[in-house]
Amino acid sequence: MANWAILSGIEGNLAAYEAVLADIRRQRQPVTDLYIVGDLVGLRGDNEALVRRVRSPQPGEPIPQVCTGWWEEQCFSLHGLRGLPDAPELVDRDRLGTVKDLWEAVSRQTVLWLADLDFGFHELDCLLIHGSTVSYSDELTPETSPLTLCDRLIRADANTLFCGRSGLAFECWVEPSALQSTVTTLDQTAAPQEQGKSPRRVVGVGNVGRQAGQASYVLYNPGTNKVTFKQVQGSLAKGFGASKGLSHR
Amino acid sequence: MKLAVISCIHGNYEALNAVLSDIDTHRADQIYCLGDLAGYGPHPNAVVELVRSLDIPTCQGCWDEDIVEGLNACECSYPSQLAEKRGHLAHEWTNRAIHPEVRKYLATLPMTLRQDNLCFVHGSPNSQHEYLLPSMDGFAALERVLSAEADVLFCGHTHVPYLRELDNGTLSVKVQQPGQGETQHQFTAPLKRIVNAGSVGEPRHGRPNATYVLYDTDSAQVTLREVPYDYAKTCAAIIEQGLPPIFAWRLARGMEFAERADDPGHVCER
Amino acid sequence: MPHFIAISGPSGSGKTTWISQFLKDQSTPQFYVCPGLGEISMDLARIGYRFPWVQVVAEAQLRAVLADLPDQATVYFEWGFHLDLGSPFLAGLGCERVAVLPPDLTESDWHTWADRVVAGNAVAAPANGHLPEVWCTPLTGQVFDPPSLEVLLLEVTGGAYGQVCRLKGIFELPNGRAFYVDFVEGLPGMEYTELNLPPWLAGRPSRFSGIEVTGWGLEQQAIAQTLLDSGLSDAALSQYHQHF
Ligand SMILES: [Zn+2]
Ligand SMILES: [Zn+2]
């Protein structure tokens, strides 16, 4: 039976990634697919070591499927590969110092490897992506307007949208229950149409590496359609972290 | 107050003149223009001069943007590869024909215009290149009107006029976060409307006639107008100016382009 | 003795359709010949795709095939409107002659020529002495952007590049499927038939596809350019193939 682990925001934190992998190994129902939805690299960690680890899974580990995120896009911009040159988003956010830091934190060779990754994955009736199909920087949270969440689900053409930009772990069911639409053209006025439809959801997959010792990710069982939040406390250095599963339908 | 909203003139001077006289006979107090003054048609400079001389508030269309900034559209903004190739031919021609001061003027055009609870854009509030088709999902359409913070959103770009009323929009949301209880809330939207002004100079509704809309701010009445004009004159000018003859053939029929099937895997990179 | 049948009639009258009803029969060897258009014949290709058991004969092989026919063979000659009815070749074979004609046509060269007249589609008979021209080109290897192909077909049959009375084509689409498209002026709509072939999902198809346009004042160069502009690039094609 399929069981997906979906994570985001490792940001070069190898210890946190190892802790998550250890937690994945401990699952009673084996994890069959591992998705990393962006922000593999970041400012602080050892990005080179992390990318090496991600690219060479150990025997028995699922092969990570990785798509790009906000930090990857900053690298592309900085290296002139795509988007606007000179990473203006990064400059706006964190001043010039960080631009230099990022330049040093990720080698060009690694950036070129990252540039070949997908923007996201369509699997079954799910879209897995860093922000949304609108943009890698689109930040969806439980506070985002319901209509915006609904719009992102429609654009995603998916029943479940897994995203990582906010770093938050959440499951948000959106039910567009009623809407009457009437279209008039030059030739006719069509009868009003009821556009309500069944609920769909946006899932925030948490963040692995931003806060030391506070990794979170989600498990998804496509068979039961159930999302389980995972929090991994402590780091590999301390041995085994306690893993606490929180789940609901 | 009576408003006339025009869009997508596309260098068709004959059509613009006919529409302006029709607006005159309906005694509109104010005209708004939703952009695409240039592109496809043979008289981009004359059209811009006329719009400027009448002081018509105008937002920037996809063609105006591309003339200023160079081709900037993602392939997904064309309905077909063929339409895209022809678009490029028209762009090259227009780029050569346009006067420097006209280009400068197009660069100054704003993305959106507002009047009270009305918002005017070319494509959508997100982008000059986004099509708000009447078949678009109702909630996505509602999102566009709300993101424009308006009750009525005027747009063009599709070249086919329509009025869409979105009423009684209701969404409920159920949120679960680790370590917290489940929360629920409901969201409702009052009546919102999308008014597409069609196209003055390159209509695609199946007839050659120019289209635009009238809007009465007191009664909220929307009237879609269809105005015949001497399109044969524009067709002759298209051929005379060395634009692709197929443009004239399509113009004379008000022909719509086939829609590209949606590709859910496509993420617009614009 | 092999049996020879020659079928003639104006463009779009339904010659191929009439022949097709007999080609379904697999009990005796059947041969199909459509002379005059060289190697690029839509009819030849389509018959070959639809009835794999029928031997379609290209002009170059015709002599050799005729010299060595099995006794129970039936050979169908689709005799295009642009070919001479008084051809000594036909006379020499001792053919049965069938004309497929529009029902309201009562008098014509076909009537005097035929042993048998069959009522076909109600197409307009060509104006006296003003035969249309035929333009055809192979498209093998080209895969079309579907919405562009739709635009192209609407324009060509709508008269954007000269008056067209007939269009036949075999087109490849990026989902790996091939379609036969048939337009006859005066008949409503266009006929799209998916050919029963294995989907071609890697690289460019090497099986035959092509287009044949019949009409007056055809702007051949403009049609060719539009066909070219509607074809997918290698990059676009491989992107499609990744999706399917
Ligand atoms: Zn336009
Ligand atoms: Zn436009």
Side-chain angles (χ1 to χ4, degrees), chain B residues 49-68:
Chain B
E49 274 153 32
L50 183 52
V51 168
R52 286 183 80 177
S53 71
L54 296 171
D55 262 330
I56 299 173
T58 302
C59 31
Q60 194 179 58
C62 58
W63 276 86
D64 311 321
E65 183 199 9
D66 286 350
I67 288 299
V68 173

Side-chain angles (χ1 to χ4, degrees), chain A residues 26-121:
Chain A
R26 278 197 297 272
Q27 297 308 311
R28 211 174 313 135
Q29 197 200 328
V31 167
T32 54
D33 302 80
L34 172 58
Y35 291 98
I36 302 174
V37 294
D39 286 1
L40 197 61
V41 299
L43 265 193
R44 286 188 301 249
D46 184 347
N47 294 308
E48 299 301 318
L50 177 78
V51 169
R52 266 198 307 277
R53 178 70 178 91
V54 167
R55 293 180 68 178
S56 39
Q58 286 165 10
E61 282 179 1
I63 297 163
Q65 304 198 61
V66 189
C67 69
T68 53
W70 193 87
W71 281 108
E72 283 79 25
E73 291 292 341
Q74 302 315 308
C75 292
F76 304 152
S77 170
L78 214 54
H79 287 255
L81 295 179
R82 57 179 186 243
L84 298 166
D86 305 328
E89 276 177 292
L90 188 62
V91 175
D92 272 3
R93 205 174 92 136
D94 296 317
R95 310 234 172 73
L96 272 169
T98 38
V99 172
K100 190 169 156 282
D101 291 346
L102 185 61
W103 182 261
E104 285 163 3
V106 192
S107 73
R108 181 158 180 93
Q109 205 186 359
T110 297
V111 172
L112 289 174
W113 178 75
L114 293 168
D116 269 342
L117 299 175
D118 288 307
F119 285 101
F121 305 102

Side-chain angles (χ1 to χ4, degrees), chain A residues 7-26:
Chain A
L7 29 150
S8 178
I10 303 171
E11 299 189 11
N13 188 337
L14 182 57
Y17 182 57
E18 291 289 4
V20 168
L21 287 179
D23 195 56
I24 285 174
R25 275 195 298 273
R26 278 197 297 272

Side-chain angles (χ1 to χ4, degrees), chain B residues 36 62 122 157:
Chain B
D36 275 4
C62 58
H122 176 69
H157 190 48

Side-chain angles (χ1 to χ4, degrees), chain B residues 50 53 62-63 84 102 119 147 169 174 182 184 207 214:
Chain B
L50 183 52
S53 71
C62 58
W63 276 86
E84 184 181 357
V102 169
C119 181
S147 74
K174 206 165 66 182
E182 190 178 274
Q184 284 199 31
R207 293 178 290 272
L214 291 166

